[in-house]
Amino acid sequence: MFESVEMVQKQLEEQGYICDKRIATVVFLANRLEKPVLVEGPAGVGKTELAKVVAAATGRPLIRLQCYEGLDEAKALYEWEYSKQLLYTQILKEKIGEVMQGTGSLREAAARVGQQDSVFFSEQFIVPRPLMHAITTDEPCALLIDEVDKSDPEFEAFLLEVLSDFQVTVPEIGTFAAKHRPLVFLTSNDAREMSDALKRRCLHLWIDYPDEAAELRILQAKVPGMDQKLAADLVAMMQRLRQLDLKKTPSIAETIDWARALLALNAESLGEQAVRDTMSVILKYEADIRKAQQELSRMMTARAAVTPAAVPTPSAPAATGTPPAPVAPPKKGTLH
Amino acid sequence: MQRKIIEFANLLRKSGLRVSVAEAIDAFQALEELSIDDREVFRDALRASLVKRGDDVPTYDQLFDLYWSGFHDNLKGAFEAAAGALADDGIDMEQLLQKIREMLESGQVPEGEVDLSDLARALLTGDLSELEQMIRAAATQAGVARIENMLQIGFFGRRTLEAMNAEGATRELRDLAARLRAVGMGDAEAEAIGRLAERFFEALRQSVRSFMERELQTRNFEYMEKFRREALFEKSFYSLTEDEIARMREVVNRLAQRIKNVMSIRRRRRKKGKLDLHTMLRRNMARGGMPFELVFKEKRKDRPKLVILCDVSSSVANVSRFMLQFVYSLQECFTKIRSFVFVAELGEVTQVFHDHEVGKAIEEALEGGGVINVYTRSNFGMAFHTFWRDFLSAVDAKTTVLVLGDARNNYNDPKAWCLRDLHNKAKNVIWLNPESPSAWGFGDSVMDKYLPYTTLAEECRNLRQLSRIVDKLVL
Ligand SMILES: Nc1ncnc2c1ncn2[C@@H]1O[C@H](COP(=O)(O)OP(=O)(O)OP(=O)(O)O)[C@@H](O)[C@H]1O
Ligand SMILES: [Mg+2]
C-alpha cells in the first residue's frame, strides 16, 4: 500500500520507472479505491511497464492477459479440458461394468452414472486462464489486461462483468469470488475507443510522450552507462523527431533502443554517420527515415553555426572544461 | 464538497462531456483519499475519475480553472482586503475576532440573547469554505442560472445578497457590539466591531460580484462549447475555417471509430458459424473418429470493394476531404480501395495513401496528388471518359463506386454513357452531391443526366449527412 502520491513516485522510481505526479496520483488512487485503471496513450510510452513496476513495487505477482482480435472467454477465463474429458469417458465406458455392479433397477443405474457425471464437470477438468488465476489466487495480485483495444467489443462486454464484481460463475461448479481485489491495469493504444461502460468503471490515465527532462531521466535510468552529453543530444533529437509528421512516431522504447545501439557502436557523439547507421532502429518506414535525415542535417547545420561561440559557455556550472572526454567519472553520481 | 463536485460534473456535462453519476461519486471518494491542498493532485484526481477521453481534456482543464481555482481565491482576497482596510484604521481584525469569540464562549452574554445567524457565525469564525457554500446556495436561489450578460451582474448580485441576508448579518454584528459592551467590552473595541461589520459587508458584496462574473464566464463557455460541437455537424462544407476543418477531422475520426466498433460486433456474430461436420470427421480420423478437435465453418465476409472518384475542385474539396478521411479510417472494412481525383483530368491517387499517413495523403490528393492539374474548370464528362477508357477494368460486380461532385459541368459534354457503362458493371454507384436536389439539372448542373445511372444519389453538404451516408455504405 502506498502512503502518499510522493511515495508512489519514489517507489516506482526505485523500480526504474520515472513518472510525473499525474501518473503517481492515479496509481495512488487506484490502489486506495481498488479501482481498475485504463491507461491510454501512444505506443511505447510505458503503459505496460507501468503495470509491471506497480506490481513489483507493491510486491504483488503480476498476472497478464494479452488481448488480441478473437480473444474469447475460454482463452481469458477458463476452458474445459475437452480431450481429458474425452479420455475420461473412454475410461468410464470401460469401467461401466464395475460402476453398474449390483445395481438393481434402471433408476439406480442412472443415478450411478449421474454421479460420474458430476466428476466430469469438476475443477480437475478446468484449465484456468489469466482472469481465473487472478480471481482464485490466494495472495493479492496485479492483473494486467494488455492492449484491451485489440479485443472485440463482445469481449469487452464480458470484461465489464468481471471487473465489476470480480467473481465468475462456472455453471457446472459454482461461483468463484476473488479473495482480494486484484489491482487491475488495462492498457489501450486507442485502436478503437473503449465503451463508455468500461470507462465508467475505471480511473483513466492518459500517458503521453515525456518532455525532454523526463525523457532524459528515463534514459539515464535505463541506460546508465551513457555519456551525458550524448544522452542529452539524443533526447533532444527524439523530441524533434516527434514534432515531424511521421507515419510512426518513435517512442521511449525507441529512445532506449537507439541509445543501446549507439553504445554498442561506441559512438561518442551524435554525428551524421552514427545516426545514419542506426536510424533504422528508431524508424521503420523508408519515408520517415528520409524525413528524419533532412531534419537531422538541419539540426546539425544549425548547431555547427552556433558551436564555435558556444563551446565554453554551456557547461559553465561544471567549469572543469572536459568537453571531449566521454568517460567522465563524476557523471554517474549525478544520475539519481 | 460533495455538492460542489456534483455541480462541477453538471458543468462538464453541459459542455458536452459524458460524466455519469457513478463517476462523480468516484471523484468524491478519490478526494477523500488525498490531501486536496495540492492543487495539481486535486486536478489530476478529479480528471482521472471524471474525464475518460483524451479529446475532452482541454475542455476539462479550462472548466477546472474556471470553477475551482478562482472563486475561493476571490473570497480570500476580499476578506484580506477587509483586514487591510481595518488595519489602516488601527484595528487588528484577527485579534478583535478572537476577543469576540472568547467573550461569547465564556458565557458572559446570557444564552439565548445572542442568536446569531449562520452567516454571522461564519463571518466571525472566518470560515471561508462555509461562506463560499452560502454564496453559492444564495446565488442559486437568486436564479443566477438565468444570468446572460454583464448588465445583469448588479441585479443578480443584489438578489444574492438579499437571499443570504447579508444586511441582516451586518445588523446582528452591530447589535452584538452593544451586547458585548453591556458585559464589559471597551468602547473602542465595540466601535471597531461596527467597522468590522461594514467591512465584512463590503467584502461579501465584492465576493458576490466576482461570483457573478465567473458564473457568466462559465455560462458563455458552456454555451460556446456546446454550440461549437453541435454546429459542426450542421455546418456547410462550403465555408470552413482552418480551425473548423481541424475540429471536423477529429469528429470524423470518432465517427469512424464508432462505425468500426459496430462493424466488428457484427463480424463476430457472423463468424460464429455452425459445426463443420465433414471437415471435423476428416480431421479427427486419426483418433478413430472421436471429435477431439472441433471445427467450425467460417462464414465468408462480404466486405465491399470501393472505387472513389473525387471532384477536388474547390467547390467540393471539403466533401472529398472528409469522405476520404472516413473511407481511409475505415480501410479494414473494405477489401480494396482505389481512389481517383479529378477536375477535368482524372488520375489515380491510391499510391499516395500507401506512401503517407492519411491526413497528409488527403491534403496531397486535394492538390491533385501530382497526377492532375487542379487549376482548371470542372469537366465531368472528360473525367468520366478517362476513367471509362483507362480504369473500367478496375470495376466488377463487387465494386461500389462512390462519386463525389457537384456535377457542375461548365456546359461541357456530360458523356453520361460513360457512367452508364460503369453502372452496368458495378454493384452500386453512389453519388454524393453537396448541392441540394432542387438545384440538380439547373444552370450548368448536369446531375439530372447522371441520375439514371446511380443506385443512390444524395445531398451531402455537412457532417451529419455525410456520416449517415457512411453508415449506409458499410453497415
Ligand atoms: N517512464 C518510464 N520510465 C522508465 N522506462 C520507461 C518509461 N516509459 C517507458 N519506458 C520503457 O519504454 C519501453 C516501452 O514501454 P512499454 O512496453 O510499457 O510501452 P507501451 O506503452 O506498453 O507500448 P505499447 O502500446 O506498444 O504496448 C519499455 O522498455 C520501458 O522500460
Ligand atoms: Mg504495451
Side-chain angles (χ1 to χ4, degrees):
Chain A
M1 186 67 116
F2 297 110
E3 269 163 38
S4 66
V5 173
E6 286 73 21
M7 281 305 282
V8 175
Q9 230 172 337
K10 188 160 156 284
Q11 278 173 264
L12 295 192
E13 195 160 336
E14 279 162 13
Q15 301 291 332
Y17 192 85
I18 311 297
C19 70
D20 56 19
K21 225 169 179 177
R22 227 161 35 76
I23 297 178
T25 304
V26 180
V27 169
F28 176 81
L29 285 176
N31 206 358
R32 282 299 169 101
L33 302 176
E34 301 190 315
K35 286 206 130 235
V37 187
L38 173 61
V39 191
E40 292 191 289
V45 290
K47 300 185 292 294
T48 306
E49 185 78 3
L50 178 65
K52 291 187 194 161
V53 293
V54 171
T58 50
R60 291 167 178 242
L62 181 75
I63 296 174
R64 179 170 181 167
L65 172 65
Q66 182 68 43
C67 299
Y68 50 87
E69 206 182 325
L71 172 65
D72 57 14
E73 262 181 71
K75 292 277 166 357
L77 195 55
Y78 69 90
E79 251 173 322
W80 287 107
E81 210 160 4
Y82 186 60
S83 45
K84 223 173 171 186
Q85 285 174 324
L86 269 179
L87 213 60
Y88 184 84
T89 19
Q90 291 283 13
I91 297 170
L92 189 65
K93 228 197 275 177
E94 282 159 22
K95 301 260 169 182
I96 197 87
E98 273 172 49
V99 173
M100 291 301 170
Q101 220 153 44
T103 48
S105 67
L106 189 59
R107 178 189 297 250
E108 209 177 322
R112 287 268 176 93
V113 176
Q115 274 167 19
Q116 306 300 319
D117 221 32
S118 59
V119 181
F120 196 77
F121 284 107
S122 65
E123 268 177 80
Q124 71 188 101
F125 290 117
I126 280 189
V127 195
R129 302 291 183 197
L131 287 181
M132 187 68 129
H133 267 306
I135 287 172
T136 51
T137 176
D138 286 326
E139 47 182 342
C141 67
L143 171 64
L144 165 62
I145 303 177
D146 212 7
E147 318 206 338
V148 62
D149 51 331
K150 305 259 171 19
S151 69
D152 309 299
E154 234 181 31
F155 182 73
E156 194 186 324
F158 156 72
L159 260 187
L160 215 62
E161 282 169 41
V162 177
L163 291 183
S164 31
D165 37 41
F166 287 101
Q167 63 175 38
V168 290
T169 302
V170 181
E172 296 85 353
I173 301 179
T175 299
F176 298 85
K179 294 194 185 75
H180 314 271
R181 274 197 167 227
L183 194 54
V184 185
F185 287 86
L186 301 104
T187 77
S188 153
N189 265 331
D190 231 1
R192 67 185 177 84
E193 205 178 314
M194 308 313 296
S195 73
D196 282 349
L198 182 78
K199 286 182 168 180
R200 259 201 304 280
R201 280 174 182 68
C202 301
L203 295 172
H204 189 262
L205 174 63
W206 172 263
I207 304 187
D208 214 335
Y209 298 113
D211 63 18
E212 196 160 341
E215 187 163 21
L216 190 56
R217 287 183 58 216
I218 295 173
L219 187 57
Q220 285 166 337
K222 289 276 157 180
V223 193
M226 195 165 200
D227 173 64
Q228 262 191 348
K229 166 93 173 52
L230 179 55
D233 282 353
L234 189 150
V235 167
M237 179 73 192
M238 291 303 279
Q239 297 272 338
R240 281 286 274 274
L241 288 181
R242 287 193 196 119
Q243 307 292 316
L244 300 181
D245 174 28
L246 299 174
K247 274 191 130 171
K248 170 146 189 352
T249 305
S251 68
I252 303 174
E254 272 81 34
T255 310
I256 294 170
D257 288 348
W258 198 18
R260 295 211 171 111
L262 287 170
L263 220 54
L265 291 176
N266 280 322
E268 290 175 359
S269 67
L270 209 56
E272 283 214 66
Q273 189 57 44
V275 172
R276 195 158 299 142
D277 292 346
T278 50
M279 197 58 118
S280 62
V281 175
I282 46 170
L283 297 172
K284 308 292 180 236
Y285 292 94
E286 201 44 51
D288 285 357
I289 293 183
R290 240 177 292 124
K291 260 191 215 163
Q293 252 151 10
Q294 280 167 11
E295 178 66 15
L296 177 76
S297 313
R298 218 172 298 140
M299 242 176 112
M300 294 281 183
T301 18
R303 192 168 333 133
V306 180
T307 10
V311 163
T313 31
S315 51
T320 31
T322 47
V327 265
K331 279 165 190 164
K332 261 201 171 153
T334 55
L335 291 187
H336 280 284
Chain B
M1 192 44 121
Q2 201 152 8
R3 200 162 70 224
K4 274 191 83 171
I5 288 181
I6 290 171
E7 213 177 285
F8 183 56
N10 270 330
L11 182 60
L12 293 174
R13 243 174 253 139
K14 280 190 208 145
S15 305
L17 274 66
R18 270 171 288 174
V19 180
S20 68
V21 177
E23 285 163 316
I25 293 172
D26 286 346
F28 187 65
Q29 286 175 342
L31 294 183
E32 290 189 327
E33 298 292 338
L34 293 160
S35 128
I36 56 172
D37 300 334
D38 188 330
R39 192 117 228 123
E40 227 181 293
V41 170
F42 178 59
R43 175 194 291 251
D44 294 336
L46 276 191
R47 175 154 90 194
S49 359
L50 296 175
V51 186
K52 310 284 168 86
R53 285 199 336 224
D55 298 349
D56 290 337
V57 171
T59 310
Y60 168 83
D61 281 344
Q62 270 173 298
L63 286 174
F64 182 91
D65 285 341
L66 221 49
Y67 188 81
W68 294 100
S69 322
F71 184 59
H72 196 81
D73 294 345
N74 291 146
L75 197 59
K76 208 163 136 206
F79 279 86
E80 275 165 8
L86 288 167
D88 288 345
D89 296 345
I91 301 168
D92 183 335
M93 183 177 92
E94 271 315 312
Q95 219 176 348
L96 184 60
L97 287 173
Q98 183 69 26
K99 177 87 190 261
I100 299 172
R101 286 195 295 257
E102 272 167 21
M103 288 187 72
L104 283 177
E105 277 159 26
S106 70
Q108 286 166 308
V109 190
E111 194 73 33
E113 247 181 61
V114 271
D115 193 13
L116 292 176
S117 63
D118 289 344
L119 178 57
R121 264 179 217 290
L123 287 170
L124 286 178
T125 48
D127 186 344
L128 292 186
S129 309
E130 183 64 27
L131 283 175
E132 184 175 341
Q133 284 300 332
M134 289 178 172
I135 293 177
R136 273 180 204 288
T140 311
Q141 205 185 326
V144 71
R146 294 196 308 273
I147 195 166
E148 271 166 2
N149 59 55
M150 294 293 285
L151 297 175
Q152 297 169 320
I153 286 182
F155 171 72
F156 282 106
R158 272 194 304 281
R159 285 187 48 160
T160 303
L161 286 171
E162 275 165 28
M164 66 197 300
N165 198 5
E167 280 190 46
T170 319
R171 224 173 303 118
E172 285 173 45
L173 291 183
R174 285 213 199 84
D175 291 351
L176 183 66
R179 293 243 166 67
L180 291 176
R181 185 151 50 183
V183 293
M185 182 181 255
D187 282 355
E189 274 173 325
E191 197 180 315
I193 294 182
R195 289 269 184 67
L196 183 73
E198 255 166 55
R199 292 292 173 199
F200 274 176
F201 184 75
E202 179 56 25
L204 278 180
R205 222 172 49 82
Q206 275 293 337
S207 306
V208 166
R209 187 179 176 82
S210 31
F211 185 84
M212 296 297 139
E213 281 166 1
R214 293 190 158 273
E215 202 62 15
L216 195 58
Q217 266 178 32
T218 335
R219 272 304 108 75
N220 284 342
F221 182 82
E222 275 168 29
Y223 177 72
M224 294 276 296
E225 266 300 299
K226 199 165 158 197
F227 181 75
R228 277 164 67 175
R229 274 172 202 250
E230 279 179 6
L232 218 50
F233 271 86
E234 306 292 345
K235 177 110 196 170
S236 158
F237 286 141
Y238 277 113
S239 51
L240 292 180
T241 64
E242 291 276 319
D243 179 48
E244 282 165 337
I245 289 184
R247 288 167 58 95
M248 273 200 194
R249 228 181 261 140
E250 261 172 46
V251 176
V252 168
N253 267 337
R254 220 173 298 146
L255 288 174
Q257 196 56 57
R258 204 202 65 221
I259 293 173
K260 263 193 268 189
N261 286 352
V262 178
M263 288 282 291
S264 74
I265 292 179
R266 291 206 169 188
R267 224 180 303 140
R268 290 227 29 93
R269 280 212 199 109
R270 247 182 318 171
K271 233 194 269 173
K272 288 219 156 113
K274 294 187 187 144
L275 264 185
D276 183 349
L277 276 178
H278 287 284
T279 321
M280 189 165 80
L281 283 178
R282 211 173 319 120
R283 221 180 274 171
N284 286 299
M285 208 68 109
R287 298 157 191 133
M290 270 299 228
F292 269 74
E293 196 186 324
L294 303 183
V295 181
F296 292 91
K297 276 184 192 147
E298 263 214 36
K299 285 227 172 161
R300 209 163 44 83
K301 303 163 208 146
D302 41 355
R303 302 184 204 174
K305 258 195 209 171
L306 202 58
V307 166
I308 318 176
L309 307 182
C310 287
D311 180 350
V312 291
S313 66
S314 53
S315 57
V316 198
N318 277 327
V319 184
S320 297
R321 175 195 310 265
F322 294 117
M323 191 67 199
L324 283 171
Q325 199 197 333
F326 250 128
V327 166
Y328 277 94
S329 319
L330 294 172
Q331 272 185 66
E332 53 280 42
C333 302
F334 306 99
T335 339
K336 190 169 184 196
I337 307 174
R338 288 183 72 173
S339 324
F340 300 84
V341 291
F342 65 88
V343 177
E345 299 166 342
L346 173 139
E348 178 161 13
V349 291
T350 311
Q351 190 58 36
V352 179
F353 283 88
H354 285 300
D355 294 344
H356 302 278
E357 56 88 30
V358 181
K360 179 87 192 297
I362 289 175
E363 296 317 314
E364 255 181 53
L366 294 181
E367 288 296 318
V371 288
I372 63 157
N373 173 16
V374 294
Y375 301 103
T376 54
R377 313 194 62 185
S378 296
N379 185 341
F380 283 73
M382 178 173 161
F384 286 154
H385 186 250
T386 310
F387 187 84
W388 179 87
R389 192 188 61 209
D390 299 340
F391 300 106
L392 196 59
S393 58
V395 175
D396 61 24
K398 285 181 190 151
T399 313
T400 293
V401 179
L402 196 60
V403 185
L404 310 173
D406 59 5
R408 294 225 164 251
N409 204 28
N410 293 301
Y411 302 102
N412 293 303
D413 176 4
K415 300 200 174 156
W417 57 272
C418 295
L419 192 66
R420 182 198 63 210
D421 286 1
L422 196 58
H423 182 236
N424 285 340
K425 279 195 82 181
K427 181 176 170 210
N428 291 312
V429 174
I430 299 175
W431 189 309
L432 307 184
N433 192 325
E435 291 191 345
S436 113
S438 57
W440 296 357
F442 289 90
D444 63 341
S445 165
V446 288
M447 193 60 193
D448 55 328
K449 305 278 188 309
Y450 293 134
L451 212 47
Y453 309 120
T454 61
T455 330
L456 177 76
E458 296 234 0
E459 172 184 353
C460 179
R461 195 172 20 83
N462 59 35
L463 261 192
R464 187 164 322 275
Q465 290 166 335
L466 181 63
S467 65
R468 212 174 291 143
I469 292 157
V470 174
D471 267 349
K472 263 191 212 165
L473 197 60
V474 294
L475 296 178

